[in-house]
Every structure is written in structure tokens, then in C-alpha cells.
Amino acid sequence: MGFNALSAGVSGLTANQRALDVAAHNVANANTAGFAPQRASFQEAGPAGTGVTLSVQGQALSGAAQTQALQQAQAGERPSGTDLAKELGNSLVYKAQAALSAKVVQAADERLGTLIDTKA
């Protein structure tokens, strides 16, 4: 454990915070006509094992899907592709992952403190 673990924990915290931001954005725009929900996608940072990153990609609507969304909006139906149950589930997963990353940071901090506090 050490600096690599600390770095991995911090990058995990950052990635999960961004994922929570994406979920919040999707929920906030659930009733927006033609809104295409974004998706959080976690990827291992390079070199392998040094952390995690998050790429946020909007799920592009095809021309047919946009037309359908507009027709639904005009008919008074919920036009957004946001699945609120899925967003809630994702938020709970991101919260748990952030808590785990925080424990990694805490453990790395304790180990580094032990190394730094040793007497020569």
C-alpha cells in the first residue's frame, strides 16, 4: 500500500462523484422533451491498477427516436428516455463504490503515516 493505493482511492472517489453527478443530471431532466440520458462508464486508468476514470457519453438518439420523442411530447407523454428506477439503483451503487474508495484512502493514509512516523 502507499502512494499507489492513495492515488487509486482518490481517483475512485472522483470517478464515483462524477457518476453521481451524471445520475443527478438524468433525474433532473427526466421530464425534458427529447432528453437523452447520459451514461457513466468506468475504465481502468493506465498504467494498469493505478486508478479508475470515468467517461461520460450521451446516448445519442437516432433520427427515428428523436421524432418519436417529439411526438410523445406533443401527445403529453413522458418523452425522456430516463429510467428513474435504474438511476436510483445506479446512485446506490455509486455511493457504495465511493464509500469503498474512501476506505482505501483511509487505509493508505494510515500506512503512509506509519511509514513517515518511523524513527531512523
Side-chain angles (χ1 to χ4, degrees), residues 22-68:
V22 169
H25 176 72
N26 289 345
V27 169
N29 288 291
N31 290 324
T32 302
F35 175 72
Q38 294 179 330
R39 187 184 81 209
S41 173
F42 293 91
Q43 299 168 345
E44 184 176 5
T50 60
V52 64
T53 60
L54 174 76
S55 64
V56 178
Q57 303 167 341
Q59 297 174 347
L61 291 174
S62 67
Q66 283 182 337
T67 302
Q68 181 183 12

Side-chain angles (χ1 to χ4, degrees), residues 53-111:
T53 60
L54 174 76
S55 64
V56 178
Q57 303 167 341
Q59 297 174 347
L61 291 174
S62 67
Q66 283 182 337
T67 302
Q68 181 183 12
L70 290 175
Q71 289 171 347
Q72 288 174 338
Q74 292 170 352
E77 298 175 21
R78 195 169 131 219
S80 174
T82 302
D83 181 353
L84 295 176
K86 182 178 178 182
E87 294 300 333
L88 175 63
N90 287 345
S91 295
L92 294 174
V93 169
Y94 302 149
K95 179 183 174 189
Q97 289 175 172
L100 182 59
S101 293
K103 288 182 181 183
V104 169
V105 169
Q106 182 181 17
D109 180 52
E110 290 172 2
R111 300 298 175 258

Side-chain angles (χ1 to χ4, degrees), residues 3 9 16-17 37 46-47 49 76 88 91 97 99 102 119:
F3 289 111
N16 282 290
Q17 178 59 51
L88 175 63
S91 295
Q97 289 175 172
K119 295 182 181 180

